[in-house]
Amino acid sequence: MNEMRLQKYLARAGVASRRACEELIAAGRVSVNGRVVSELGAKVDADVDEVALDGARVEPPREAVTIMLHKPAGYVTTMSDPQGRPCVAELVPKDAGRFAGLYPVGRLDADTTGLLLFSTDGELGNALLHPRMHVEKLYLALVEGTPDARAVERLSRGVRLSDGMTAPAEVRLLEGAQAQQAARLIGSDAAASGNARRHDGKRSRAAVERSGACAYVAVGLREGRKRQVRRMLEAVGHPVVALHRASFGPLSLGDLPRGRWRELTPAEAASLKAASGAGEGAKERSGRGGEPARS
Ligand code: URA
């Protein structure tokens, strides 16, 4: 028994977004076992029922797949880049069998390393990114200078950025063994370190580390605005030199090597789904129905 609502079946099968599938059903274009079904509450058993759109059979939806990538620096978060830059699509399985339709859940900047999720389950992706779900992402940042207690307090309460105040965040200055562990996790990445000046004209990571005038900061965020961690730290006078995402909700990278991916274990997939609240009103939260999350 693999029962689900008809619009979910169609969206999961890749017909269109959940909302567009509802319109197809209401328009009387969908049939189940040869009979037109036009009410939206109808359920089907994906293992048994034959669903058709405009008379053509719709193959049953595949089991959703979610993977994690340990993203290296130097890769843009997109599945294809018209400008030809290295992109994360080169690092994950794609377009083949059960991995067809794999999309990144959210985004990491090109020069950010760490945990990036991909899923074929658009509903899960949208739910995970919705601020109301409060899924925390933990970032480790190497910053210029050492934030004092006041700066940490400001970051924790919220700072004003060009797109408004940030929500309260968990911010800690890391010292001793914690700083060493952060240094290990951030690692040295050829594209993120080196002697070159950073693209924004600021001092290179190597120069900052040599000077000793730097610190490690942990930032736990439940929002996901563009370059948010970098802009927050810049706003309190401590530009980011290197940034790494250590965890996403209940998931962390463990010993996954940089540049490698792996499928979530069933326990990880279940805990992620629980953290996302997927299924409970996900449709209402998502403006795009079943399409994969792309930003
Ligand atoms: N915040 C940033 O500034 N960059 C990222 O890549 C992720 C979060």
Side-chain angles (χ1 to χ4, degrees), residues 151-226:
V152 171
E153 173 75 10
R154 278 185 65 202
L155 290 164
S156 306
R157 283 173 182 252
V159 288
R160 184 165 298 286
L161 301 178
S162 56
D163 49 1
M165 288 296 284
T166 60
E170 299 282 328
V171 181
R172 275 180 304 127
L173 180 66
L174 302 177
E175 286 167 312
Q178 286 185 334
Q180 281 169 16
Q181 201 199 353
R184 264 198 308 280
L185 288 171
I186 294 179
S188 64
D189 195 308
S193 55
N195 291 314
R197 274 189 170 265
R198 305 210 303 278
H199 59 77
D200 51 9
K202 300 200 174 107
R203 285 193 304 160
S204 73
R205 173 171 173 182
V208 172
E209 282 182 314
R210 263 198 313 273
S211 76
C214 55
Y216 289 94
V217 181
V219 180
L221 285 190
R222 296 175 191 277
E223 303 180 287
R225 299 192 220 165
K226 203 165 176 206

Side-chain angles (χ1 to χ4, degrees), residues 107-110 112 139 221 225-231 243 245:
R107 194 183 294 264
L108 290 178
D109 301 334
T112 300
Y139 295 90
L221 285 190
R225 299 192 220 165
K226 203 165 176 206
R227 296 181 76 81
Q228 184 166 346
V229 176
R230 293 174 197 273
R231 291 190 294 140
L243 186 62
R245 181 152 74 193

